[in-house]
Amino acid sequence: MRWEVNWSRLLSLSLLGTSVVQAVDLSRTAQDLFDESMVIQDAIYDPAASYLRYFYFPLAAGPHETRSTIWYAAGLLQRNRGEDRQEAVKILQNVIGDQEKNTSVQWYGDYTKYPEQPTVGTPAYPPVIYNSWDPNWRGFIGTALIVIYEEFGHLLPESVQGLVLESLYNNTIGDTYRVGGVDGDNLYPAYSNAWLMRTVVGSWTGRKFANTNMTAAGDSDALAFLELFNRNNTLSEFNGPTYAGVSLYALTIAAKYLGSTNATIGQHATRVIEAIWGYESQLWNANLRNFAGPWDRSYGYDMNKYVAIMSLWVWSLVGKTHVFPNATSPIWTMAHADDFEIAPLVNILADFHQTLVPAAARARLTSFADDEQRTYTGHAYAPPADLEPRNITTWLSANLTIGTASFNQSVVGGFSEDSTSFSPAVVQWLRPDASIGYFNLYPEETALVAEVAPYALNLTYPLGNTSSTFTFVLASNPLGAKRDITGFEDVDGLSIKVVGGTVDPVPEISFCGLLGGTCDVIHNFEFWNFTFSMPPTSSAVPSVQFEFAF
Ligand SMILES: *[C@@H]1O[C@H](CO)[C@@H](O)[C@H](O)[C@H]1NC(C)=O
Ligand SMILES: *[C@@H]1O[C@H](CO)[C@@H](O)[C@H](O)[C@H]1NC(C)=O
Ligand SMILES: *[C@@H]1O[C@H](CO)[C@@H](O)[C@H](O)[C@H]1NC(C)=O
Ligand SMILES: *[C@@H]1O[C@H](CO)[C@@H](O)[C@H](O)[C@H]1NC(C)=O
Ligand SMILES: *[C@@H]1O[C@H](CO)[C@@H](O)[C@H](O)[C@H]1NC(C)=O
Ligand SMILES: *[C@@H]1O[C@H](CO)[C@@H](O)[C@H](O)[C@H]1NC(C)=O
Ligand SMILES: *[C@@H]1O[C@H](CO)[C@@H](O)[C@H](O)[C@H]1NC(C)=O
Ligand SMILES: *[C@@H]1O[C@H](CO)[C@@H](O)[C@H](O)[C@H]1NC(C)=O
Ligand SMILES: *[C@@H]1O[C@H](CO)[C@@H](O)[C@H](O)[C@H]1NC(C)=O
Ligand SMILES: *[C@@H]1O[C@H](CO)[C@@H](O)[C@H](O)[C@H]1NC(C)=O
Ligand SMILES: *[C@@H]1O[C@H](CO)[C@@H](O)[C@H](O)[C@H]1NC(C)=O
Ligand SMILES: *[C@@H]1O[C@H](CO)[C@@H](O)[C@H](O)[C@H]1NC(C)=O
């Protein structure tokens, strides 16, 4: 798809002018998040380069980083003190200056991942999607540019306002090159967070340029999203502690800036946000400060120990102490701390966003009654990986949650084919020292039947055979408890018992450690690997059944 832009016509329509608005008012909890994130970002900003230093997981030696710098630019404009505005202008000019300009390449309209990188597509630097270039950077940076333009456009010189729009225009065209299953891309409607960002950028930009090709593409993307969402009011990319936060971010932009237009995504965003908080709040255990499982994509096994973007939304709504334990060390010591750099955008949108969070959902974010138990049941559907919708069942009690998805898929590891982030059976509990234990299935099969009842979990591999194994990721004990785990009897704070199933009930146990052991850490979480095998002569369908007690 190719679209023409007529700049003189655009200028004559005065589309480059924006109305004057003040910095967004921030509630105290959101202001707190903003301030804490800006302390870190101020410290790693390199004014000589006009880029943040590379504070990205895992850390690198020396270079700068692009996406977080745009997030920081939004923070600078929100704060707007001293040199903030001038620095933001330089950042915008630099990042947009390096935006890809060759319309023939797959990454047209995309931004660098870091400004020192060699040119993508040269012999020394082949284009490798999600590595040397990342198609989602159009969505992440494009949405941030929209917020910057809408909220702070009046602080920018007219030429920079124009540059931002031109950048969004190329970004939108480049993003139409993305087709799931083609050229190594996986942008299907079920890839909720990335799909929503494209939907929003296209819908907003098309409107700005009065380009009906773009608005029609945005509307058609929105309908494809809604077709999946409306099945059970769930995101296809279900309950990912990081990516549900990105989907909410994109939807908030749609609700705030397109809500009064006839853009399809703008018309539906409010309802979708309310529905997401409806089920996410049911899955939140305020005692454990975690979303119970299952998680389609997660960057860790305990939200108290890594930075997830949903944690930032919860923080903005109800405050940090409901998200991280009081004894948490500084944010920058946590795994995936780089995701904290999106905090300025969460904050700028927070006061508007909180008006869309139902009161009952918000209440569930702050407390979980000691005598309460609840069971969430629902479905999520992420084709082409899902051959049929997943059935989700999660049981929550004050100090123990068990969350599962039954699935039948075409690949191992869920939609993103990644067993380190797809967690279809998750057990979490509160340990005596108030830290969180976890016991999660590591997916190795394309189908799972999971049954949950209070204190009980049954898992079956309907397509398994005698070589199938059930591998579980078990948390290390906290400091002060046993360092060595030789069986379930050594696990701190929870009794775990195999009570049935066709597996050999005695697991093989190994340690996957930061500095040693016999297997690798996952997302920098070390763990004990409990692997159950079938008896060698068994021809039974593989299954294992557990009961839990305090
Ligand atoms: C919209 O797409 C059509 C068909 O590709 C093309 O002819 C037309 O020029 C495009 N319009 C704009 C405004 O880009
Ligand atoms: C744009 O990319 C195409 C495809 O890689 C290449 O053939 C062409 O030379 C590039 N154009 C410029 C101006 O670099
Ligand atoms: C947008 O793309 C066109 C090529 O279609 C290029 O000439 C222009 O410089 C690009 N603008 C930006 C801001 O990268
Ligand atoms: C989602 O599915 C569950 C379980 O089948 C059902 O109880 C619930 O009513 C459905 N919700 C919506 C909004 O479709
Ligand atoms: C929105 O309004 C425009 C202009 O009236 C129209 O062309 C377009 O089809 C409408 N879009 C939707 C989704 O109704
Ligand atoms: C954590 O700190 C907050 C605010 O300082 C306080 O209200 C709360 O009681 C503390 N919680 C614990 C478990 O110490
Ligand atoms: C949950 O743990 C807390 C803290 O140890 C304890 O006070 C409470 O009684 C426990 N609740 C239940 C239902 O086990
Ligand atoms: C989900 O539940 C329905 C109704 O019980 C069942 O027909 C379907 O096979 C289940 N799907 C999976 C993937 O287990
Ligand atoms: C998975 O879905 C496919 C296609 O609907 C079906 O043929 C197959 O029987 C299902 N497998 C299981 C284990 O449910
Ligand atoms: C697990 O399987 C056993 C044996 O079939 C059954 O008694 C128990 O009710 C099942 N538990 C759940 C949670 O479905
Ligand atoms: C079990 O299933 C796997 C995966 O389908 C297959 O590779 C393996 O050969 C099967 N093993 C036996 C003993 O049938
Ligand atoms: C778990 O341990 C088994 C050996 O018991 C090993 O084959 C497997 O690769 C390990 N899995 C992970 C995720 O570490």
Side-chain angles (χ1 to χ4, degrees):
M1 246 185 284
R2 291 291 142 74
W3 292 312
E4 301 303 323
V5 62
N6 180 337
W7 289 101
S8 55
R9 176 164 173 275
L10 190 64
L11 285 161
S12 72
L13 289 170
S14 312
L15 288 174
L16 296 177
T18 57
S19 59
V20 174
V21 288
Q22 297 305 310
V24 175
D25 290 330
L26 298 177
S27 68
R28 203 188 51 73
T29 49
Q31 183 70 47
D32 194 45
L33 173 58
F34 180 78
D35 294 344
E36 194 162 334
S37 76
M38 289 301 278
V39 167
I40 298 176
Q41 280 162 293
D42 286 343
I44 61 173
Y45 184 61
D46 178 359
S50 307
Y51 274 96
L52 289 184
R53 298 183 195 282
Y54 194 104
F55 180 69
Y56 192 74
F57 193 82
L59 294 179
H64 300 85
E65 210 259 330
T66 304
R67 183 181 64 161
S68 56
T69 304
I70 283 289
W71 292 339
Y72 180 58
L76 289 170
L77 291 165
Q78 164 72 14
R79 187 171 62 186
N80 192 18
R81 285 203 307 255
E83 301 297 301
D84 287 350
R85 185 156 66 101
Q86 289 85 324
E87 294 303 326
V89 166
K90 281 195 277 175
I91 289 169
L92 290 167
Q93 287 168 331
N94 283 346
V95 171
I96 295 171
D98 278 348
Q99 189 176 6
E100 179 60 52
K101 299 185 192 341
N102 186 339
T103 55
S104 306
V105 297
Q106 199 186 344
W107 53 100
Y108 171 60
D110 207 351
Y111 308 86
T112 63
K113 294 186 78 177
Y114 65 101
E116 293 89 346
Q117 71 185 38
T119 302
V120 176
T122 53
Y125 209 60
V128 181
I129 192 168
Y130 294 117
N131 282 291
S132 61
W133 70 286
D134 192 321
N136 292 343
W137 263 226
R138 295 195 197 94
F140 278 113
I141 293 176
T143 48
L145 291 178
I146 291 172
V147 174
I148 286 173
Y149 187 89
E150 288 275 4
E151 303 290 345
F152 312 114
H154 62 286
L155 298 176
L156 304 174
E158 201 161 285
S159 62
V160 177
Q161 292 178 35
L163 199 58
V164 167
L165 289 180
E166 184 181 336
S167 177
L168 280 163
Y169 186 92
N170 288 3
N171 176 323
T172 299
I173 290 176
D175 234 17
T176 65
Y177 297 5
R178 299 191 72 178
V179 179
V182 175
D183 294 334
D185 207 326
N186 64 341
L187 189 61
Y188 297 94
Y191 188 3
S192 310
N193 87 88
W195 186 269
L196 282 167
M197 289 194 291
R198 177 170 81 174
T199 305
V200 168
V201 172
S203 299
W204 187 93
T205 306
R207 204 150 232 91
K208 254 319 178 222
F209 284 86
N211 181 314
T212 50
N213 287 346
M214 288 185 182
T215 50
D219 288 336
S220 129
D221 279 358
L223 289 174
F225 165 79
L226 290 166
E227 193 180 315
L228 289 171
F229 186 84
N230 290 346
R231 297 173 69 103
N232 196 242
N233 279 347
T234 52
L235 292 172
S236 299
E237 193 175 35
F238 184 78
N239 191 36
T242 296
Y243 292 111
V246 177
S247 291
L248 283 174
Y249 158 74
L251 287 160
T252 305
I253 292 171
K256 188 165 189 198
Y257 309 124
L258 295 169
S260 58
T261 73
N262 75 345
T264 304
I265 197 64
Q267 302 259 300
H268 289 85
T270 296
R271 169 183 69 87
V272 171
I273 290 169
E274 285 170 4
I276 292 172
W277 277 115
Y279 70 80
E280 287 295 353
S281 66
Q282 290 184 60
L283 293 168
W284 177 255
N285 182 310
N287 283 346
L288 273 55
R289 300 177 217 86
N290 264 274
F291 289 103
W295 309 309
D296 275 359
R297 289 175 75 202
S298 81
Y299 288 139
Y301 297 113
D302 168 14
M303 291 173 69
N304 298 318
K305 299 259 165 71
Y306 75 100
V307 176
I309 295 173
M310 280 303 272
S311 298
L312 307 185
W313 282 117
V314 177
W315 178 340
S316 79
L317 289 164
V318 295
K320 183 181 183 182
T321 57
H322 292 291
V323 178
F324 296 119
N326 285 1
T328 293
S329 55
I331 294 289
W332 45 268
T333 64
M334 297 175 77
H336 255 273
D338 53 283
D339 279 342
F340 196 55
E341 294 177 293
I342 201 175
L345 283 154
V346 169
N347 287 289
I348 291 163
L349 297 168
D351 278 7
F352 174 79
H353 181 87
Q354 65 163 347
T355 65
L356 309 180
V357 181
R362 193 182 178 124
R364 284 192 285 260
L365 297 179
T366 56
S367 66
F368 196 108
D370 207 49
D371 58 356
E372 186 183 350
Q373 294 189 18
R374 62 174 175 250
T375 300
Y376 168 84
T377 57
H379 313 279
Y381 185 42
D386 277 328
L387 300 176
E388 52 183 308
R390 279 163 286 149
N391 293 330
I392 292 151
T393 310
T394 301
W395 173 76
L396 298 94
S397 67
N399 298 339
L400 173 67
T401 67
I402 308 172
T404 62
S406 294
F407 58 82
N408 174 13
Q409 302 185 321
S410 58
V411 288
V412 172
F415 180 89
S416 56
E417 301 176 43
D418 179 2
S419 294
T420 69
S421 66
F422 180 50
S423 290
V426 176
V427 179
Q428 286 187 313
W429 65 96
L430 190 67
R431 300 191 290 205
D433 72 340
S435 67
I436 306 303
Y438 48 86
F439 178 66
N440 297 357
L441 181 70
Y442 178 88
E444 297 170 297
E445 299 256 337
T446 58
L448 175 73
V449 175
E451 296 166 308
V452 178
Y455 301 98
L457 169 67
N458 291 357
L459 299 175
T460 304
Y461 290 146
L463 304 178
N465 61 30
T466 181
S467 6
S468 298
T469 56
F470 290 86
T471 288
F472 293 86
V473 170
L474 171 71
S476 294
N477 286 334
L479 189 61
K482 287 183 181 168
R483 286 195 279 149
D484 300 301
I485 291 186
T486 57
F488 282 130
E489 63 280 5
D490 295 323
V491 173
D492 189 54
L494 188 71
S495 150
I496 304 177
K497 283 204 171 72
V498 177
V499 293
T502 56
V503 295
D504 175 348
V506 180
E508 192 179 326
I509 301 175
S510 46
F511 183 64
C512 310
L514 281 168
L515 303 176
T518 56
C519 38
D520 295 331
V521 295
I522 294 179
H523 297 299
N524 278 15
F525 280 69
E526 51 177 20
F527 61 94
W528 294 87
N529 170 335
F530 272 55
T531 294
F532 294 89
S533 302
M534 296 297 286
T537 55
S538 171
S539 57
V541 176
S543 67
V544 62
Q545 298 165 1
F546 296 100
E547 276 179 18
F548 307 94
F550 284 104

